[in-house]
Amino acid sequence: SRDQKEKVYIQHKLQADGAMLAEMLLRRKGHFYLCGPTWPVPDVQAALVAAFVQHGGVANEAAAEEILEEMKEEGRYVLEVY
């Protein structure tokens, strides 16, 4: 994000790839790992929730957040942050 005029962070990339994320994580039961500092976690989670609702056929944000919790329990949504 430092080598360009406008800052681009992981949550921006996730928003741009929302349809693919919904396909991979919901339909294909993929895994998502986030490693690094804690500061992007809320924005990353919001981007995933939006992708599930907008592209994955999930009814609303609450249902999408439940899916993320289920993914955590299954070991498919892993946060290794500090």
Side-chain angles (χ1 to χ4, degrees):
S1 68
R2 295 183 188 135
D3 296 337
Q4 42 203 339
K5 188 175 183 176
E6 292 186 31
K7 302 288 184 200
V8 178
Y9 296 104
I10 185 172
Q11 59 269 28
H12 301 126
K13 297 290 189 180
L14 295 175
Q15 290 166 352
D17 291 334
M20 180 186 65
L21 284 166
E23 171 69 23
M24 296 295 185
L25 296 175
L26 297 176
R27 292 181 187 86
R28 297 188 188 191
K29 302 292 185 196
H31 292 69
F32 185 91
Y33 296 89
L34 178 65
C35 304
T38 59
W39 67 264
V41 171
D43 293 331
V44 166
Q45 183 165 333
L48 291 172
V49 165
F52 292 178
V53 172
Q54 294 170 7
H55 304 287
V58 177
N60 54 50
E61 290 181 5
E65 289 172 3
E66 278 186 37
I67 291 170
L68 283 178
E69 286 302 316
E70 291 170 6
M71 288 176 63
K72 279 183 189 176
E73 291 172 10
E74 296 168 357
R76 295 178 41 232
Y77 179 63
V78 179
L79 303 176
E80 292 185 9
V81 294
Y82 50 87

